[in-house]
Amino acid sequence: MTANILDGEFVAATVRNRVATEVAELARRGKNVGLGTILVGEDEASARYVEMKHRDCAEVGISSAHLHLGQGVSTAEVLEAVQEFNARPDVDAYLVQLPLPNGVDEQVVLSAVEPSKDVDGLHPFNLGLLVMGRPGPLPCTPAGIVELLTHFGIDPSGKHVAILGRGLTIGRPLALLLALKRPKCNAAVSVVHTGIANPELIVRTADIVISAAGSPGVVKASWIKPGAVVVGAGTSWEGRRIVSDLDDEVASVASWVTPRLGGVGPMTRAMLLVNALEAAKRNLGS
Ligand code: GUN
């Protein structure tokens, strides 16, 4: 078997089209949508991700603002940038690109983002809404994965989903989201992580495997139940080359698989635009 491709570039383009139509509609009503990004330090990959987010904004008619702080800044200096975006009326929503350099307290920074402007859904208040199953901005990668699966008619409801990784931006919120009693979720979720001795024993029983481990090729074909759906959400860099969590051979066992490039990444960025649009709509209504 050779797996079908979960083409995130294609699905993200349809999401962007939808967003562009609504952004234009808001503009006709006199409301511009503005997204902000805060980049701290000189990490090349983070800078590239942020650049792509601004390019996406331009494509759909969202105006974007950017603050870049140097490598050696303190938590207090990052908080000043956060306060600036909290106060700016032209910024409906914004994100602080992660990871932050050592010495900057991520939890303090994320907690200082005004929850109504939290385009990443990573403020404790918004994560609390997710825990409670109430509406709020969803973290972009988990939301993008659900959107990607849905587009290809893959419904996690009633299925066993194994997630590799328990990080703040993907694994932990994705587990919460997929376990919620709501359409396109409603799954039995296992989270495997570095504290588990033989993750493959659990992964092998899953109908859907989502890897957010950030460990090159960690998911082997032998870990996959034949016909399972496999999503690679974790990436790492070998020089300037992005490497997937999924070993290439996974595609010979799975029914659906993400490509090394153009799977989850574009979906994450597309959901960022969706969240920015939703924040702007809330601002219009308030
Ligand atoms: N770095 C990797 N993923 C993310 C994300 O979803 N949001 C932010 N802000 N930074 C990231």
Side-chain angles (χ1 to χ4, degrees):
M1 183 193 298
T2 297
N4 298 293
I5 298 299
L6 293 162
D7 184 349
E9 287 289 1
F10 175 79
V11 184
T14 68
V15 173
R16 285 197 300 275
N17 274 339
R18 217 164 61 213
V19 170
T21 304
E22 284 205 55
V23 167
E25 173 59 24
L26 283 185
R28 275 192 290 277
R29 293 161 65 189
K31 171 68 187 150
N32 276 318
V33 183
L35 174 76
T37 60
I38 298 176
L39 176 65
V40 186
E42 308 304 334
D43 182 76
E44 213 181 304
S46 290
R48 229 182 300 166
Y49 288 136
V50 167
E51 201 182 298
M52 287 194 282
K53 290 169 185 179
H54 287 274
R55 212 182 311 146
D56 290 341
C57 283
E59 185 188 321
V60 300
I62 292 179
S63 41
S64 57
H66 179 57
L67 296 174
H68 184 194
L69 287 75
Q71 183 69 28
V73 295
S74 64
T75 302
E77 285 167 291
V78 180
L79 288 177
E80 277 177 31
V82 165
Q83 296 309 340
E84 177 181 331
F85 274 166
N86 282 348
R88 271 174 64 167
D90 61 320
V91 174
D92 292 292
Y94 69 96
L95 63 94
V96 182
Q97 184 67 27
L98 302 176
L100 288 166
N102 288 339
V104 178
D105 190 324
E106 181 177 298
Q107 293 207 12
V108 168
V109 169
L110 290 179
S111 300
V113 173
E114 159 59 38
S116 65
K117 291 192 171 194
D118 171 27
V119 77
D120 259 339
L122 295 177
H123 185 280
F125 178 81
N126 290 323
L127 288 171
L129 292 178
L130 172 58
V131 171
M132 297 175 81
R134 285 170 50 194
L138 291 172
C140 299
T141 304
I145 291 170
V146 171
E147 184 80 21
L148 182 66
L149 293 174
T150 300
H151 178 90
F152 290 103
I154 299 159
D155 186 354
S157 184
K159 305 268 172 50
H160 175 203
V161 181
I163 298 171
L164 282 87
R166 55 184 161 184
L168 176 68
T169 55
I170 311 180
R172 245 180 301 165
L174 180 61
L176 287 164
L177 179 63
L178 285 174
L180 286 178
K181 189 173 180 179
R182 65 161 72 156
K184 305 172 195 170
C185 297
N186 206 28
V189 179
S190 302
V191 181
V192 298
H193 44 72
T194 49
I196 303 293
N198 297 106
E200 67 276 16
L201 298 181
I202 295 170
V203 171
R204 219 174 268 145
T205 67
D207 307 299
I208 300 173
V209 178
I210 304 172
S211 183
S215 180
V218 66
V219 179
K220 309 289 179 206
S222 62
W223 290 28
I224 303 302
K225 181 166 77 174
V229 174
V230 187
V231 175
T235 49
S236 18
W237 293 82
E238 274 174 7
R240 296 178 67 87
R241 185 175 190 270
I242 288 187
V243 193
S244 169
D245 281 1
L246 311 182
D247 189 273
D248 289 346
E249 289 303 310
V250 165
S252 64
V253 185
S255 59
W256 289 90
V257 71
T258 46
R260 182 180 65 84
L261 288 176
V264 172
M267 293 305 301
T268 298
R269 288 173 7 234
M271 299 322 283
L272 192 68
L273 304 175
V274 170
N275 282 355
L277 172 66
E278 291 305 317
K281 286 201 271 189
R282 283 195 304 274
N283 284 340
L284 189 66
S286 63

